[in-house]
Structures are given as C-alpha cells and as structure tokens.
Amino acid sequence: MNNNPIVLVVEDDASVRNLITTTLKSHDYKYISAANGKSAIMEASSHNPDVIFLDLGLPDMDGIEVIRTIRTWSLVPIIVISARGEDSDKIEALDTGADDYLTKPFSVEELLARLRVCQRRLSIIKEDLHQSSVFVNGDLKIDYASGCVFLKDTELHLTPIEYKLLCLLASNIGKVLTHTYITQKIWNHTDENEVASLRVFMATLRKKIEKNTNGVQYIQTHVGVGYRMIKQLDKCE
Ligand code: CA
C-alpha cells in the first residue's frame, strides 16, 4: 500500500462521518465519503479505495448488502461500524466478508488502530504469503510442507485440530473470524457443541503458542464474536 491510502467512509450520520473524515485528513489519509449504500457501491467501484469504513444502518439499503455487492469484485478490507447491542449484525457482516468492526461510540485512537490492522493485512495479501510454504509471524513459524509449527525454533506439538485452527487463523491474519466461520471450516458444521469445543481447542492452542513469549499475544479473543491472529510487527503501537 502506498503512503497515502484512500479510505472510503460510508456513514449517513453527518457528525460521525465528519469525525472520521477529519481524523483521516489529519493523519494524511485520502478519503472519499458516501451517505448511503448506493453511492457507497458506486464510489467503491469507481475509486478503488484501499480500505472501507461502512456503517451497517444505512437509509437506502442494508450494510450487509453493500458488503455482499462489493465482495463480488473486490477484496478491499471492510471495517463495519455498528451500534452497541447489534452483535448479530456485526457477526453477519464478518461472515459476509467484512474484516473487522468498530462499535459506536468509538475513539479516534481505536479508529486509527483498526485502520493500521487493515493496512497490514492488505500488505500481507499483496505479498501473497498464502502461496508460500512457510508462514512467519514474530517467533511463530508454520512449515506447511512438513506440517510442523515452531516457536523460537522449538517445535510445538499440536493436535490435528489445533494445527487446522492455527492455519486458518494464519491465512486470515489481521481479520476477525467468527465462531460460525471457524466451526464451519473445521467441522463443516455449527451448533452450540462445536462453539463450546472451539473454545476448548482455542484455549489449549493459545497455551501452547503463547507460553514463554513474555506476554506476546498471537490470538485475540473477541468475546461473543470470534478470534483474530495478530500480526507481530509494530511494537510501537
Ligand atoms: Ca446509520
């Protein structure tokens, strides 16, 4: 991504829209804005933004439909903005292809942090690490060819499900994956039992990869939503 990424801000509430665009402007991001779903889709297709902030409650169409439409041609990172108490909307948005979310009211710092996560994710996609046979994130290394996982060059002994989970998170680094998405990918099925099992497998996986790392966190838990692998890169954040 270049130094001045273009951000599309989709929000019908003028005060929230202004808060976002003012923040972007003062941090040297270029931006375009839209106040409804139809113009959001139009702006996304004509300007090819690097990141999209998308309010889910739009006057003319559901934000979920906007994601679905944009995903037919673009992998641009989409950060949804939802109001508190709208967890199901947020989860549906993530399952439809959104990358992350902000809950209203949010702080300017939070907004900028989410933006940086998306920029990193995009640069990783561009590097095309998925094609590589080795995944590296900080001290964590996955050798896909041999199916071995290392932490600081010490091999970790993961169960097959823990390994699958780790690979799934790694290939979606920076992106929040919902419980439903993960259980579908791992067990081809989702009900409460799988979500409970997922919690147990995730806890044992985290114990294995996050021990002896001086508090470094690889997997972030989003309570009631899902999990995300954090890129170990910018320690200054
Ligand atoms: Ca709204």
Side-chain angles (χ1 to χ4, degrees), residues 7 31 44 56 66 86-87 90 103 151-152 189 200-201 204:
V7 182
Y31 68 85
L56 287 179
V66 177
E86 292 176 350
D87 270 0
K90 188 155 75 190
T103 305
L151 193 68
K152 285 183 184 163
H189 187 256
V200 174
F201 282 111
T204 59

Side-chain angles (χ1 to χ4, degrees), residues 189-205:
H189 187 256
T190 297
D191 67 25
E192 278 169 21
N193 289 336
E194 272 89 30
V195 174
S197 310
L198 172 62
R199 213 164 276 139
V200 174
F201 282 111
M202 205 58 97
T204 59
L205 173 64

